[in-house]
Amino acid sequence: MNKFSFLLLFLFISSIPVDALKNESFFLENNTGLDFMTGYYKIEIIEISKPGDMPFVKVNLITGGLTKLYYLRENEDPSINTEPFNKINLNSSFITTTVAKISVEYPDNWGSPIKYNIEIPVVAEKIPEIVLTKSVDKTTLNKGDVVEFKLILENTGNGTAYNLTMEDRFPPGFTSAPGSRFPPLVQGELKAGERLELLFALKAVEPGSYNIEPTIVKYSSKSAQSNPVSLTVLEDKKEKSSLVTVITLDKVNIFAGEPIKAIVKITNKGNVSAESILIKGTVPKGMEVIEGDLRQAYTKIEPDESEEYSATLKAVESGNYSIQLKTSYSDDMTGSSANSDTIIVTGKEKNYLYILIPVIMIIVGIVLFIMKRHREYRF
């Protein structure tokens, strides 16, 4: 081949178009990127790490709607040979904890890239929020009674509450109920949306009015406080009997000498039995007992039970009378009084007839005598 032919061959080869490449270096921080041709190709630095002697840069390549992750180590070629990401070559020659020097070899016709900051999505902070309520099964109780407390913890926040501890002051006038712990144990954490119910009981030992202070729950760096509770403790409820005596008469208007029947009913309206029961009374002056006895005794009458007896009396004189009885028993040795309705006694009916008949006879005799004399004078 002569020189002229060789020159033509060289010119021919030189005339074949070859894409020119441009090599450029950039100092990039974490969460920054390079944008080629307005989004056609992007390089994003999403993590810079320098753990000892093996630093690396985590790079995200974006093109054609696709994404691929690569790790760049100092002075190492990541071998970007996958379509469509192999349009460039990358290398890192300097890595610190905050910045990395990235060398990019890219087609010259792309033009210089634009550096930009990667927008990091804001993640909502996970915050726990505990709501604490306190309630009781009763607000009024007797001395010696047990009251049950209920604590409800609700995490209304969006994060888990950690390191839960409970604080409560022991109220005056109370002691711990058998088998109950004060304050109750609480679990160490409460997840968002979870609800926890705790129970404990106290026994009232002194009467009075009490304001039970709020319970406090501490968690993470926060705390929650419950509502206070008011309690009233009454004196001991003494168990005792209570007898009620009622006197019933079969009539209240009678004539002298006419009998009247009195029925006596004793009822125990207490909550324990009455014992050693004695009912006694005196017969009203002007009356006398003709059957039975106003006095009566019983050994025992149980709660809500009754005993009944009767006596028949008659009045020997006219007037107004009332039967009075006194009932004494184990829980009332002094005794309580009971009175009957008023008895109205009228004088004997025959006494009126003895007076009335002679008067009528005398009047009739006078009338007949006048009539007879009147006929005699007419003739």
Side-chain angles (χ1 to χ4, degrees), residues 211-357:
N211 188 47
I212 310 301
E213 295 185 9
T215 301
I216 297 174
V217 169
K218 293 184 177 180
Y219 60 99
S220 303
S221 59
K222 305 178 70 177
S223 66
Q225 180 173 289
S226 77
N227 53 291
V229 175
S230 295
L231 295 177
T232 300
V233 180
L234 305 176
E235 288 285 356
D236 285 335
K237 185 179 179 181
K238 189 175 180 181
E239 303 288 318
K240 63 182 298 184
S241 57
S242 178
L243 295 183
V244 176
T245 303
V246 177
I247 306 169
T248 305
L249 303 173
D250 63 346
K251 49 195 168 185
V252 294
N253 291 286
I254 60 173
F255 291 105
E258 185 179 352
I260 182 172
K261 186 175 183 180
I263 300 173
V264 182
K265 185 175 183 180
I266 309 98
T267 303
N268 185 357
K269 294 190 176 181
N271 44 34
V272 295
S273 61
E275 300 178 357
S276 304
I277 303 140
L278 177 62
I279 305 101
K280 60 182 179 179
T282 57
V283 180
K285 189 176 181 180
M287 299 190 74
E288 62 181 19
V289 177
I290 59 175
E291 184 179 343
D293 195 344
L294 290 177
R295 177 187 172 91
Q296 192 63 260
Y298 297 97
T299 303
K300 181 185 292 187
I301 300 178
E302 297 293 342
D304 297 323
E305 291 189 359
S306 301
E307 293 289 348
E308 187 176 290
Y309 68 96
S310 63
T312 303
L313 299 82
K314 75 173 182 178
V316 295
E317 296 178 7
S318 59
N320 295 338
Y321 303 96
S322 178
I323 299 174
Q324 296 181 339
L325 300 176
K326 178 172 281 190
T327 304
S328 59
Y329 52 100
S330 54
D331 285 324
D332 186 4
M333 299 305 295
T334 302
S336 57
S337 298
N339 297 333
S340 71
D341 293 334
T342 301
I343 303 169
I344 302 172
V345 180
T346 306
K348 293 182 180 180
E349 185 177 359
K350 61 182 179 179
N351 292 339
Y352 294 104
L353 294 178
Y354 291 151
I355 298 172
L356 185 58
I357 292 174

Side-chain angles (χ1 to χ4, degrees), residues 6 19 33 46 73 142 154 224 227 232 241 332 366:
F6 180 79
D19 289 338
I46 59 175
R73 304 189 185 279
N142 296 303
E154 292 183 274
N227 53 291
T232 300
S241 57
D332 186 4
I366 293 173

Side-chain angles (χ1 to χ4, degrees), residues 115 144 193-194:
K115 187 177 179 180
E194 283 190 341

Side-chain angles (χ1 to χ4, degrees), residues 130 153-155 160-166 184-198 217-220:
I130 289 182
L153 294 81
E154 292 183 274
N155 188 351
T160 300
Y162 295 99
N163 303 319
L164 272 71
T165 59
M166 183 170 291
L185 289 174
V186 62
Q187 63 191 41
E189 64 180 55
L190 191 65
K191 295 180 180 179
E194 283 190 341
R195 182 178 186 271
L196 179 63
E197 183 176 297
L198 302 175
V217 169
K218 293 184 177 180
Y219 60 99
S220 303

Side-chain angles (χ1 to χ4, degrees), residues 18 34 40 43 72 85-86 117 120 143 172 198 263 271 306 308 337 343 368 378:
V18 177
L34 298 174
Y40 173 73
I43 303 171
L72 296 181
F85 305 101
N86 57 356
N117 293 323
I120 303 173
K143 179 181 175 182
L198 302 175
I263 300 173
N271 44 34
S306 301
E308 187 176 290
S337 298
I343 303 169
L368 292 176
R378 288 180 60 186

